[in-house]
Amino acid sequence: MIALHDSIYPQLEAGDRIVYLGNYFGHGTEATRTIDEILTFRRNVLAMPGWMPSDIAYLRGGQEEMWEKLVQLQFAPNPREVLEWMLDHGLSATLESYGMNPTHGLVSTREGAMSITRWTAGVRAAIRRHRGHDMFITHLRRAAFIPPQVMELAATGTHGGMGGAYARPMNDHAAPMLFVHAGLNPNRPLQDQGDALWWGGRSFDAIHTPYDPFEKVIRGFDPNQGGLHINGVTATLDGGCGFGGALVCAGFDRYGELFSLIES
């Protein structure tokens, strides 16, 4: 990620936009270092003249959605089954990166709600020990879009799907683009997507025409691990990072056409 940030940084200008596509956690032991790098890059970008905090957006990925459910585990009707599933799908490595023992969580599920509450409180405390991480997690967005007045953008993927984008305002026509984490149900409006944004990867494959009012939909994670795929109306920027593959950065021009592709 550092290499990709180093490649993008010199190209950024005031008025650009940056979007990350989720899955900053999971399937690796570098979760805390990943968030640290994201926050460091954010500070460096915001230090440049003309940049505002609203110019950078971070989407919630499936891993972050699981993390949100984890800290509310005591309210689950079947907490042990829920925790076992999440641990098997990447959360175990994330907990370890924050200095937490996943086994202690499993033990707490046998002891009841009070024990689970104490354990999840420890998870929250572990996050707070890393400066800025708790605020980062609470400010994640469900989706982001580039309206017609935007010119250029680039997107990146990590851990099976974190993405970033930069965009420049323009006066002539541009292709409006929608950014999601993993899935999109083409038969539902954006406000009714619900969990499809995280778990609807198969529905994403059914998009063969523009998802109105957008001309291209870009995601950062493919649950089927099908690799990079870009066509006229969709783009999947998942190089398999976290599963032995590459971290990907792709650039799109104002018409939604690919102009740059970086793998690290």
Side-chain angles (χ1 to χ4, degrees), residues 63-82:
Q63 292 294 322
E64 293 75 50
E65 180 68 6
M66 285 193 289
W67 191 265
E68 183 70 17
K69 296 295 189 292
L70 174 71
V71 296
Q72 303 177 60
L73 185 65
Q74 61 269 29
F75 302 114
N78 50 346
R80 185 174 183 84
E81 293 179 18
V82 171

Side-chain angles (χ1 to χ4, degrees), residues 40-57:
T40 297
F41 186 69
R42 174 185 174 86
R43 289 192 292 270
N44 290 338
V45 171
L46 293 180
M48 295 192 296
W51 279 82
M52 302 290 291
S54 58
D55 294 334
I56 308 174

Side-chain angles (χ1 to χ4, degrees), residues 59-184:
L59 301 192
R60 180 188 300 273
Q63 292 294 322
E64 293 75 50
E65 180 68 6
M66 285 193 289
W67 191 265
E68 183 70 17
K69 296 295 189 292
L70 174 71
V71 296
Q72 303 177 60
L73 185 65
Q74 61 269 29
F75 302 114
N78 50 346
R80 185 174 183 84
E81 293 179 18
V82 171
L83 182 57
E84 287 178 340
W85 185 89
M86 292 192 295
L87 293 177
D88 289 341
H89 287 78
L91 205 61
S92 180
T94 301
L95 285 168
E96 291 172 357
S97 74
Y98 278 99
M100 299 294 295
N101 189 333
T103 302
H104 293 168
L106 291 171
V107 171
S108 74
T109 62
R110 293 199 300 265
E111 297 174 346
M114 291 299 295
S115 181
I116 298 174
T117 300
R118 287 192 293 269
W119 184 73
T120 56
V123 172
R124 294 178 185 272
I127 298 174
R128 289 194 294 270
R129 285 194 288 271
H130 293 263
R131 184 178 179 183
H133 287 212
D134 55 340
M135 291 296 293
F136 174 80
I137 294 171
T138 59
H139 284 78
L140 301 177
R141 303 185 183 187
R142 295 170 56 84
F145 63 87
I146 303 296
Q149 66 268 27
V150 166
M151 186 175 78
E152 294 181 354
L153 61 103
T156 70
T158 78
H159 288 313
M162 183 196 69
Y166 68 86
R168 297 195 176 101
M170 60 171 292
N171 295 320
D172 59 346
H173 174 72
M177 303 179 202
L178 173 66
F179 294 84
V180 299
H181 167 61
L184 185 78

